[in-house]
Amino acid sequence: MDQSVAIQETLAEGEYCPQAVQGVLCEGDSRQSRLLGLVRYRLEHGSQEHALFLYTHRRMAITGDDVSLDQIVPVSRDFTLEEVSPDGELYILGSDVTIQLDTAELSLVFQLPFGSQTRMFLHEVARACPGFDPTTRDPEFLWLSRYRCAEPELELPTPRGCNSAPGTWPGYATIGGGGSNFDGLRPNGKGLPVDQSSRGQDQPESLQPRQNKSKSEITGMVRSSTITVSDKAHILSMQKFGLRDTIVKSHLVQKEEDYTYIQNFRFFVGTYNVNGQSPKECLRPWLSDGVQAPDVYCVGFQELDLSKEAFFFHDTPKEEEWFKAVSEGLHPDAKYAKVKLIRLVGIMLLLYVKQEHAAYVSEVEAETVGTGIMGRMGNKGGVAIRFQFHNTSICVVNSHLAAHIEEYERRNQDYKDICSRMQFCQLDPSRPPLTISKHDVILWLGDLNYRIEELDVEKVKKLIEEKDFQTLYAYDQLKIQVAAKTVFEASQRGELTFPAYLQGEKCRAPAWCDRILWKGKNITQLSYQSHMALKTSDHKPVSSVFNIGVRVVNDELYRKTLEEIVRSLDKMENANIPSVSLSKREFCFQNVKYMQLKVESFTIHNGQVPCHFEFINKPDEESYCKQWLNANPSRGFLLPDSDVEIELELFVNKTTATKLNSGEDKIEDILVLHLDRGKDYFLSVSGNYLPSCFGSPIHTLCYMREPILDLPLETISELLAYLAAYCFETQLVTKSLI
């Protein structure tokens, strides 16, 4: 939900909040929710000033009554906003992004949810910083004086929630004061310019003036929150770029093989139904069962918490318990960064990468789909994390489908619901959301609950004892449904070389409920096994290790490819400036009558350069043509060597007939056809209008002794002037008599 609407209700006239994001203010060990809003104020001379407004709130902010102003941070030249890795914590990417807001006097630390909302917020803050333009004068922030808490002798308006001491800003001391000028965005994109303010010396430790840090120390902490070296072509999809950059991006995608190569990375994929239990044993036998440390961990849980509190409320202590157990159970030969954690009731998915790979992970998004009670609740369903790893898009799905042996059709429907309803936002909000199938690599894990059918419990147990898994596998519901193409079409499943195991009630037949499937190119499954040593749950954890070929960018080849594309476009543009030919440029409409549509058409033929065309306004005119004229279409896009037919529609109605009857207006106009990055073409429109009684004043018609059509325009004009003068004199006489 866009909470900037609630902030807007608290602002004064001339102040506008374009972006807001909900975060957590970190003060030592405490965590307090804050709503951060970027507020813009337009000055009289046309320039703008910005400030960050920090609000406390009691719930999701819907109206202005839900928020209270806590602090104001003017966006001046002397501060920065940086994404950092807190000391003593795992390297965090994704939803656990940590933002440090600094000035020379103060440091505030926030945790923001990673995603499109945060990216847009940080992007807008970066654009708002005056440091981008060294010629811009220093902001004065006089408009913020109204937010100063009023002293007794001052009668300034006090905003809602102003809780600082009298005569002080809410958490603010001076406006735009001092500090070194910001020297622009860092070349590596790892700093975002922002402003900050100061509190008094009695504030919590995290709000005290920051310790001076060397530049090398700060640089080591900073990471890019917007663009990484991976998928460099996606940079060109941002909204600020136009047609040319869209073409460049298209060519880069087509030539991807010229500047990328396939590199194998080891992925560990694990799933565990923990039956509502807390971790009671080390998870390394499951997570670290291999000599080589994986590059990426995808770890899923089901039935994390079976309590009604977990079902009706978001929080559960089991999330932190299992997160800690997984973090401690990762392979000891490598250090890992947590990329994302997503949970829906008891379904949780964790994504880790080796720290050296974290810089190549981008576009992280996570979504949930509930398919349980009423087809929507989260006791069953799926969670997913999608991300870009180098130049390869990957989607990891963890699902818990409907239970009971006879409910295989419900399981099929749960799968279809997850696929259809799981959608991820893209960097460019104008582009449609991504679905699971729109990824290069799909990893699907979880308690799928497909059973072994047509065999009784004893027969199943006997086959397990004999390790006759192939015979048993012939009765596997998942295998049967995939063969029938009802679920997991084109997905691959590893050979089951581990036994099905008992679950829940002991009278149930053992089954391979917990499964791992995959889809995509350059994927090799190295292992697929269950881990019988873990006793926490009636389920056993399952793991699979893959070698996945990921497209990696060769920087030198990428630069060469980009240069070739740009050079080719430059040559084409220089040699072929947009140019069109018109089949007709002069249009004459003869004997135009009231309420009678007349149409003249012409054809625009484009040359070899795609272009936009549009009829544009002439100087000091509000429209590109007069009211009685219309061009259809008035704008459009032309591909090379293509045509479009334009119709000029002339229609006189009661609004326009009066001036045409009197001769005040004529059927005369000039249209200007403009080509984007090209020249203008001028079209002449002329004609004659046949006056009629329609649109003429009734008192004028009464003085006419012959039809208006037979009268010269000069006579009609003289008659109108005479009647206007007569009416004016009559009014003067009437007023004098009164």
Side-chain angles (χ1 to χ4, degrees):
M1 177 180 174
D2 185 5
Q3 299 183 75
S4 63
V5 177
I7 293 178
Q8 188 63 48
E9 292 185 12
T10 70
L11 303 179
E13 184 179 355
E15 300 169 1
Y16 174 64
C17 178
Q19 286 290 333
V21 64
Q22 185 173 329
V24 176
L25 174 63
C26 304
E27 298 181 341
D29 294 330
S30 70
R31 299 290 185 270
Q32 302 175 34
S33 183
R34 288 290 187 274
L35 185 61
L36 290 74
L38 178 65
V39 177
R40 181 175 69 218
Y41 181 78
R42 187 177 295 276
L43 303 175
E44 293 181 358
H45 50 77
S47 62
Q48 299 175 351
E49 293 181 351
H50 297 78
L52 290 182
F53 282 40
L54 312 181
Y55 292 84
T56 59
H57 57 103
R58 60 189 180 190
R59 60 176 184 179
M60 177 71 73
I62 301 173
T63 68
D65 294 328
D66 297 326
V67 298
S68 296
L69 184 61
D70 178 63
Q71 188 171 4
I72 297 177
V73 183
V75 178
S76 60
R77 294 182 186 273
D78 64 346
F79 66 50
T80 58
L81 181 68
E82 298 175 335
E83 186 180 347
V84 300
S85 259
D87 295 337
E89 294 186 15
L90 280 175
Y91 183 93
I92 294 176
L93 180 73
S95 63
D96 300 309
V97 113
T98 302
I99 300 297
Q100 186 162 314
L101 197 62
D102 283 333
T103 66
E105 301 173 342
L106 182 68
S107 178
L108 292 176
V109 176
F110 294 92
Q111 285 186 349
L112 302 182
F114 189 85
S116 55
Q117 187 75 11
T118 296
R119 280 197 300 271
M120 290 300 295
F121 177 79
L122 296 177
H123 179 65
E124 288 298 321
V125 172
R127 291 179 56 194
C129 181
F132 279 103
D133 185 2
T135 63
T136 305
R137 68 178 187 178
D138 289 339
E140 298 177 350
F141 300 108
L142 299 179
W143 58 282
L144 291 177
S145 61
R146 69 179 293 272
Y147 291 99
R148 188 185 300 274
C149 291
E151 293 180 348
E153 65 274 13
L154 299 177
E155 296 183 359
L156 296 177
T158 302
R160 182 186 293 112
C162 191
N163 51 16
S164 298
T168 66
W169 288 70
Y172 183 72
T174 59
I175 302 179
S180 60
N181 289 339
F182 183 75
D183 58 359
L185 192 65
R186 293 175 177 82
N188 59 6
K190 294 182 178 179
L192 291 174
V194 188
D195 193 10
Q196 187 55 19
S197 55
S198 61
R199 287 180 181 257
Q201 296 298 319
D202 57 345
Q203 297 301 319
E205 181 180 351
S206 68
L207 300 183
Q208 292 292 330
R210 60 173 172 161
Q211 298 287 331
N212 290 330
K213 300 175 183 177
S214 68
K215 188 167 184 178
S216 60
E217 289 177 321
I218 296 176
T219 304
M221 299 170 65
V222 174
R223 294 179 290 111
S224 170
S225 62
T226 53
I227 299 170
T228 69
V229 294
S230 65
D231 189 24
K232 297 180 181 180
H234 94 275
I235 300 173
L236 299 173
S237 68
M238 293 188 174
Q239 286 181 309
K240 63 182 180 180
F241 295 93
L243 174 63
R244 174 187 173 89
D245 297 290
T246 302
I247 296 173
V248 172
K249 182 191 173 187
S250 176
H251 282 288
L252 280 172
V253 172
Q254 294 173 13
K255 294 178 175 290
E256 185 180 37
E257 292 187 0
D258 293 347
Y259 59 86
T260 62
Y261 60 93
I262 299 296
Q263 180 177 338
N264 284 328
F265 292 88
R266 185 174 292 254
F267 280 64
F268 175 96
V269 181
T271 178
Y272 194 3
N273 183 321
V274 296
N275 194 28
Q277 303 298 309
S278 296
K280 302 173 183 176
E281 51 195 342
C282 178
L283 300 182
R284 281 195 175 174
W286 169 38
L287 301 175
S288 303
D289 185 23
V291 177
Q292 185 175 342
D295 297 291
V296 180
Y297 271 100
C298 310
V299 183
F301 293 94
Q302 306 83 40
E303 295 188 0
L304 196 76
D305 193 333
L306 299 177
S307 66
K308 61 181 183 296
E309 289 81 10
F311 185 78
F312 290 106
F313 303 101
H314 179 71
D315 293 331
T316 171
K318 299 291 180 64
E319 176 181 312
E320 184 65 27
E321 292 173 2
W322 282 102
F323 163 62
K324 183 179 179 182
V326 171
S327 299
E328 293 173 350
L330 300 180
H331 204 288
D333 293 343
K335 292 184 178 180
Y336 291 91
K338 187 189 79 174
V339 176
K340 191 74 173 175
L341 181 155
I342 182 71
R343 181 176 61 82
L344 173 67
V345 187
I347 309 169
M348 186 169 78
L349 179 61
L350 286 155
L351 178 65
Y352 297 83
V353 298
K354 281 184 177 179
Q355 285 197 8
E356 58 265 32
H357 301 322
Y360 302 96
V361 176
S362 63
E363 300 182 42
V364 182
E365 297 287 349
E367 292 294 341
T368 66
V369 170
T371 63
I373 300 172
M374 297 183 292
R376 295 284 172 175
M377 302 301 284
N379 58 310
K380 291 292 189 290
V383 300
I385 300 172
R386 64 91 51 204
F387 60 101
Q388 194 84 5
F389 189 34
H390 289 277
N391 254 43
T392 296
S393 60
I394 300 173
C395 183
V396 186
V397 186
N398 175 23
S399 65
H400 191 188
L401 308 184
H404 306 299
I405 187 170
E406 68 279 2
E407 294 290 345
Y408 67 90
E409 290 185 347
R410 176 64 186 275
R411 287 188 276 279
N412 295 350
Q413 188 59 47
D414 286 352
Y415 163 80
K416 294 174 183 176
D417 287 345
I418 292 171
C419 290
S420 62
R421 290 163 48 196
M422 189 77 73
Q423 297 185 339
F424 306 93
C425 295
Q426 297 204 63
L427 280 174
D428 184 352
S430 66
R431 300 179 66 187
L434 287 172
T435 58
I436 294 172
S437 62
K438 299 296 184 181
H439 292 80
D440 299 323
V441 173
I442 301 169
L443 302 172
W444 197 300
L445 58 115
D447 183 355
L448 306 186
N449 258 322
Y450 286 97
R451 307 287 177 153
I452 296 173
E453 58 183 25
E454 299 183 12
L455 292 178
D456 58 34
V457 176
E458 296 305 321
K459 179 64 173 175
V460 172
K461 290 181 179 179
K462 185 174 184 300
L463 289 172
I464 292 174
E465 290 176 1
E466 296 172 354
K467 296 185 178 181
D468 189 357
F469 300 136
Q470 290 302 316
T471 301
L472 197 61
Y473 187 46
Y475 297 93
D476 176 53
Q477 279 184 344
L478 179 59
K479 178 179 183 251
I480 295 170
Q481 295 304 312
V482 170
K485 297 184 178 180
T486 55
V487 292
F488 295 103
E489 288 189 56
S491 294
Q492 299 184 57
R493 309 174 308 284
E495 182 181 355
L496 292 167
T497 59
F498 53 89
Y501 43 84
L502 293 171
Q503 297 162 351
E505 301 172 8
K506 299 302 180 181
C507 60
R508 286 187 188 176
W512 289 293
C513 290
D514 305 287
R515 306 290 273 270
I516 296 170
L517 301 92
W518 72 93
K519 184 177 180 181
K521 297 179 180 179
N522 303 314
I523 303 176
T524 303
Q525 188 179 52
L526 303 179
S527 68
Y528 189 24
Q529 59 185 319
S530 64
H531 300 267
M532 308 300 289
L534 273 67
K535 308 293 185 182
T536 299
S537 171
D538 57 346
H539 288 248
K540 301 301 176 186
V542 173
S543 70
S544 182
V545 177
F546 298 94
N547 262 349
I548 298 181
V550 172
R551 286 204 169 273
V552 177
V553 174
N554 181 305
D555 290 338
E556 183 177 353
L557 293 178
Y558 174 83
R559 283 193 296 270
K560 289 182 179 178
T561 304
L562 181 59
E563 288 171 0
E564 290 174 2
I565 294 172
V566 172
R567 192 181 302 114
S568 174
L569 282 177
D570 288 342
K571 182 178 179 181
M572 182 184 70
E573 289 179 352
N574 293 334
N576 299 279
I577 296 174
S579 175
V580 300
S581 60
L582 308 182
S583 63
K584 191 176 181 181
R585 297 198 189 190
E586 296 182 355
F587 304 89
C588 185
F589 293 88
Q590 294 290 342
N591 300 325
V592 178
K593 296 181 180 180
Y594 178 77
M595 297 291 283
Q596 184 180 81
L597 176 65
K598 282 186 172 289
V599 178
E600 292 279 346
S601 63
F602 69 99
T603 301
I604 303 177
H605 177 76
N606 189 29
Q608 299 305 310
V609 179
C611 68
H612 287 276
F613 70 87
E614 179 181 8
F615 288 96
I616 61 173
N617 300 357
K618 296 180 286 294
D620 302 324
E621 293 191 6
E622 296 180 355
S623 177
Y624 67 87
C625 65
K626 291 187 177 180
Q627 283 185 285
W628 37 262
L629 187 62
N630 180 56
N632 184 27
S634 63
R635 63 178 64 185
F637 176 76
L638 283 168
L639 292 171
D641 199 27
S642 63
D643 300 297
V644 63
E645 185 178 20
I646 307 294
E647 292 185 341
L648 298 182
E649 302 170 344
L650 195 154
F651 187 71
V652 178
N653 56 22
K654 63 181 181 180
T655 303
T656 56
T658 302
K659 291 184 177 181
L660 289 169
N661 282 334
S662 65
E664 186 179 346
D665 190 12
K666 297 179 181 179
I667 303 296
E668 291 181 357
D669 200 2
I670 299 293
L671 301 183
V672 182
L673 179 64
H674 172 72
L675 298 186
D676 185 23
R677 299 177 293 109
K679 66 178 184 178
D680 294 338
Y681 299 81
F682 299 91
L683 287 73
S684 171
V685 177
S686 62
N688 68 296
Y689 179 69
L690 301 178
S692 68
C693 60
F694 299 104
S696 299
I698 187 66
H699 59 272
T700 303
L701 296 174
C702 291
Y703 280 85
M704 294 181 182
R705 297 184 179 181
E706 52 187 294
I708 187 174
L709 186 60
D710 297 336
L711 293 175
L713 284 176
E714 294 79 7
T715 303
I716 298 174
S717 300
E718 290 173 1
L719 181 57
L720 287 171
Y722 167 77
L723 291 174
Y726 174 77
C727 291
F728 180 71
E729 291 177 0
T730 303
Q731 290 176 354
L732 291 179
V733 172
T734 303
K735 288 182 179 179
S736 64
L737 292 176
I738 294 174

